[in-house]
Every structure is written in structure tokens, then in C-alpha cells.
């Protein structure tokens, strides 16, 4: 998910959109690794009152501003209501500076993940063709629908051989959802092919759009 959203942010920035990318995987953050920058301060320091929002924000790419999170701090894996309110208040002060805000959530169905998904106007679920990943993708949609009445999702299928294979995954997910979640709508967002350029770019701490702009994965973005 992080790789997808970082590259989407770069592409949107290239198209002239002013992007704010928030790393919402608060306990295991890695947007900074994929985009290749060192964060002087993080969301943890912001919520602790040890840094201002302006001190935390980092330029990740042209037209892309990043609000980095931290890694390895257990207490960040479950924010309190007061911390969520503090974060929302901070973001309200700068929202007019951006055309789009991207939230990179963690995996699973923990409180942080559910909060940030319900705060978003659009929810993009990323799945691979593996049965475990498809099951997890369905699970997050089921929880958000059952517990939070979220009715619309978009599905991106990652690490596939072709669009045809991606559509097979999409049809399977929608078939199951139609059977058990009758008021849910799932749109096909797109796919990204399995491409060695993706892992090679991570090793270089760059997005694959920047490191391997002619790659097939970059074309999918």
C-alpha cells in the first residue's frame, strides 16, 4: 500500500496537484523509506507537543508534502480520542494549502486503521491475487460496512501479470461482496503489474516512478 500511494502522490504532483501525504501507519511508518528522506520530527512529536506542524512537514517530491509518522513506538498504534482531535485540528489549519490529501493506513482492522478510513472521502483497498490478501481486503470492507456503514470502495489489484488477472480478482471480490454485503459498491480502480523495478527502487530508497520511470509498473501508475 505504501509503495502504491507514494507513487500516486508523485504522479499527482507531476500533474500539478498540491498533495499532502500522511503516513497513518503510526507504529510502523515507512513512507520516508520509500520516498528517501529523513524526518527531523514526526507525528509522534507533534502529538506530544514537542514539535509544531510546520516543523514536522517534509517535502517528499515536487508538489508533495509529507506528514511522517514514527516506527517502533507502541503507544502510537492506538491513538486516543484526544489525539485524533488534536491531529484533526492541526490538519484543519492547512487543508486549504492542498488539492488532495492521501492517507496511507496500516494493515489490519485496528482502531487507527478504521478511524483514518472513515475520515476519508474515498477508500482505496489494495489487494494482491493471493487468497490471504483477498481475504484481508474483503475483511476491511466488511468491517467498515457493518460497523461504520461505509458503502463505497475502490479496489486496486497489485502484483499481477496483466489487467485480465486483476479483473479476475475484482470479479471474485465483488461476487462475494454481492452475496454477503448487499449495500456495498466496489469500483475497479486499476492494477499494478509484478515488476522487479518496484523492489529495486525500494532498495534505492526512491519511488519507482523516479528510479525506473520507463518500467511497466510506472506505466500502470
Amino acid at each position: 500500500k505504501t509503495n502504491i500511494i507514494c507513487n500516486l502522490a508523485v504522479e499527482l504532483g507531476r500533474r500539478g496537484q498540491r498533495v499532502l501525504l500522511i503516513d497513518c501507519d503510526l507504529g510502523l511508518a515507512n513512507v520516508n523509506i520509500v520516498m528517501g528522506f529523513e524526518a527531523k520530527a514526526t507525528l509522534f512529536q507533534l502529538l506530544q507537543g514537542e514539535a509544531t506542524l510546520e516543523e514536522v512537514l517534509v517535502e517528499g517530491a515536487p508538489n508533495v508534502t509529507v506528514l511522517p509518522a514514527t516506527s517502533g513506538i507502541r503507544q502510537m498504534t492506538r491513538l486516543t480520542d484526544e489525539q485524533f482531535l488534536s491531529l484533526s485540528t492541526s490538519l484543519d489549519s492547512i487543508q486549504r494549502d492542498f488539492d488532495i490529501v492521501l492517507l496511507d493506513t496500516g494493515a489490519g482492522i485496528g482502531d487507527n486503521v478504521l478511524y483514518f478510513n472513515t475520515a476519508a472521502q474515498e477508500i482505496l483497498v489494495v489487494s494482491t491475487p493471493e487468497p490471504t490478501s483477498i481475504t484481508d481486503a474483503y475483511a476491511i470492507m466488511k468491517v467498515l460496512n457493518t460497523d461504520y456503514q461505509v458503502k463505497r470502495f475502490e479496489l486496486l489489484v497489485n502484483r499481477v501479470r496483466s489487467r485480465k488477472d486483476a479483473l479476475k480478482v475484482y470479479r471474485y471480490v465483488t461476487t462475494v461482496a454481492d452475496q454477503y454485503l448487499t449495500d456495498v459498491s466496489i469500483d475497479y480502480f486499476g492494477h499494478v503489474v509484478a515488476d522487479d523495478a518496484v523492489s529495486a527502487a525500494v532498495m534505492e530508497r526512491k519511488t519507482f516512478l523516479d528510479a525506473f520511470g520507463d518500467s511497466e509498473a510506472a506505466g500502470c501508475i
Side-chain angles (χ1 to χ4, degrees):
K1 298 189 304 300
T2 296
N3 225 326
I4 295 294
I5 203 166
C6 287
N7 281 275
L8 282 174
V10 168
E11 178 61 21
L12 287 166
R14 290 179 178 181
R15 298 186 181 201
Q17 296 290 302
R18 298 170 301 165
V19 181
L20 174 62
L21 171 54
I22 304 176
D23 193 338
C24 299
D25 193 350
L26 304 183
L28 296 171
N30 50 28
V31 165
N32 60 308
I33 296 175
V34 173
M35 300 195 80
F37 65 82
E38 298 294 335
K40 295 180 180 180
T42 69
L43 190 55
F44 177 71
Q45 281 76 36
L46 176 66
L47 294 176
Q48 293 292 105
E50 299 171 357
T52 65
L53 183 59
E54 290 72 21
E55 291 171 331
V56 174
L57 295 175
V58 178
E59 182 180 357
N63 287 330
V64 179
T65 301
V66 180
L67 177 54
T70 190
S71 184
I73 299 182
R74 188 177 179 184
Q75 68 196 78
M76 290 294 289
T77 60
R78 187 173 184 178
L79 297 186
T80 64
D81 291 341
E82 290 76 15
Q83 288 174 319
F84 279 128
L85 179 60
S86 175
L87 176 58
S88 297
T89 301
S90 296
L91 295 176
D92 283 343
S93 67
I94 62 169
Q95 63 177 346
R96 293 183 180 179
D97 297 333
F98 301 97
D99 300 307
I100 186 168
V101 179
L102 299 176
L103 309 176
D104 179 30
T105 73
I109 53 175
D111 289 346
N112 285 357
V113 175
L114 297 175
Y115 171 81
F116 287 117
N117 271 279
T118 54
Q121 291 176 307
E122 297 183 44
I123 299 175
L124 174 60
V125 179
V126 178
S127 177
T128 71
E130 298 170 355
T132 49
S133 183
I134 294 173
T135 299
D136 290 350
Y138 174 76
I140 184 67
M141 289 187 281
K142 178 182 178 181
V143 171
L144 286 168
N145 175 250
T146 303
D147 295 347
Y148 298 92
Q149 292 73 54
V150 178
K151 297 182 178 181
R152 184 171 178 269
F153 301 91
E154 294 178 278
L155 181 69
L156 183 147
V157 188
N158 192 24
R159 287 170 28 197
V160 291
R161 291 177 296 180
S162 65
R163 185 175 187 271
K164 181 179 179 180
D165 288 345
L167 287 172
K168 288 181 181 178
V169 175
Y170 170 70
R171 283 192 290 268
Y172 177 79
V173 172
T174 53
T175 298
V176 175
D178 287 344
Q179 185 173 358
Y180 296 104
L181 306 173
T182 55
D183 59 345
V184 163
S185 171
I186 305 173
D187 295 326
Y188 178 71
F189 188 84
H191 73 281
V192 177
V193 296
D195 190 335
D196 291 340
V198 176
S199 56
V202 174
M203 295 300 293
E204 294 186 21
R205 297 190 63 171
K206 296 179 180 178
T207 62
F208 53 84
L209 275 175
D210 286 325
F212 304 99
D214 294 333
S215 64
E216 197 172 355
C220 291
I221 295 294

